[in-house]
Amino acid sequence: MTSESDETIQIYNVKDGRFDKSLLSRKYGVKLAKFTHTSSSIIYASTKQNGTIPTFLPQKDQKSLTFPDAIRYLATHDNSFIRYFEGHEAAVTCLAMHPGSDNFISCSLDNTARLWNLNTRNWTGKLHINTPFLSAWDPSGNVFAIGSPHSAIILLYDHRSYERGHFARFDVLEAVNNRGNPAPIEDVFSNWTKLEFSNDGKHLLLGSKGDGHFLLDAFNGSLKAYLKKPASGQGTRRVAPGEGPTEGSNGIESSGEVCFTPDGRFVISGGRQDLVAW
């Protein structure tokens, strides 16, 4: 599934290698579309306000009726909404589904990360963090990570006791310095597009739109490898989550063109022209 800049969702049949269907979201916009645990329902983030607000209402009431940053739960078989998840006060930058349940995490420019359950419209937990733009679940579903690019920090939480705060703090700058500064400083403090655990839970992949990606040890945060792209300037032109449009970009937020293979032996990444594997 892809969420497109033309405000459509495109779904493909991977087994047969064919296009399956197109869903429209002209009224609300669409980004960060994710499958839930059934192929017939998805969640995605809005990019527009919910319709027209009557001008005769007091300003405080108008605000209560606008949810430009809502998350939507959609049935794909008839393109009907099941539920809205409202609460974020700025653009959503990441959605991460729990690997085995109906829980998911959203990150936002309002400096909060929120926990939700598909069965209720209200968030079940909220964390106040500086620029929590990325999130990921470990394969067990017991631990989740929150990535803060402006602080160059990744925080790890126990899902069962996240209210107590993080139990691990990985400093990406420190990890890079300990390996002899192999990465450009702008990739350390910005350009982050993806956070993902390997399926064996041993590694944490931090994707970047810049010159390379970071492979971290999921237990101590050390830098196992800097996965440098073959040539400088091969990063995507799309902006990273939380960034505004830049010169030469098309203004579309990247949700990361890098991932582990299912067996965890390889990392695959796109570039401006090539497909690269490490």
Side-chain angles (χ1 to χ4, degrees), residues 35-49:
F35 283 110
T36 63
H37 293 295
T38 65
S39 60
S40 60
S41 62
I42 66 173
I43 56 174
Y44 68 88
S46 308
T47 61
K48 297 180 178 180
Q49 292 188 350

Side-chain angles (χ1 to χ4, degrees), residues 14-135:
V14 176
K15 183 178 179 181
D16 297 335
R18 60 175 172 80
F19 172 76
D20 189 56
K21 67 172 64 176
S22 179
L23 305 173
L24 300 179
S25 186
R26 304 287 195 207
K27 185 175 180 180
Y28 306 112
V30 57
K31 65 177 181 178
L32 306 174
K34 297 285 187 300
F35 283 110
T36 63
H37 293 295
T38 65
S39 60
S40 60
S41 62
I42 66 173
I43 56 174
Y44 68 88
S46 308
T47 61
K48 297 180 178 180
Q49 292 188 350
N50 291 5
T52 303
I53 306 303
T55 57
F56 60 82
L57 288 178
Q59 187 173 2
K60 63 181 181 65
D61 294 331
Q62 289 186 29
K63 184 177 180 181
S64 68
L65 291 176
T66 60
F67 304 105
D69 308 301
I71 300 161
R72 303 183 185 280
Y73 183 19
L74 182 75
T76 59
H77 67 279
D78 60 358
N79 201 23
S80 64
F81 290 112
I82 303 170
R83 187 166 290 111
Y84 302 148
F85 304 99
E86 298 156 349
H88 279 303
E89 299 175 1
V92 174
T93 58
C94 182
L95 295 174
M97 280 296 308
H98 188 280
S101 73
D102 287 337
N103 298 308
F104 69 94
I105 297 172
S106 62
C107 299
S108 170
L109 295 181
D110 64 9
N111 288 327
T112 68
R114 305 188 190 219
L115 286 81
W116 311 80
N117 186 282
L118 289 176
N119 299 311
T120 177
R121 63 179 293 178
N122 298 317
W123 48 266
T124 58
K126 181 167 66 171
L127 298 169
H128 293 274
I129 306 170
N130 178 38
T131 66
F133 293 164
L134 296 172
S135 61

Side-chain angles (χ1 to χ4, degrees), residues 25 33 58 79 103 128-129 161 166 171 183 199 217 222 229 269 278:
S25 186
N79 201 23
N103 298 308
H128 293 274
I129 306 170
S161 56
H166 59 271
D171 188 323
N199 278 346
D217 187 294
S222 62
K229 298 172 185 177
S269 171
W278 291 272

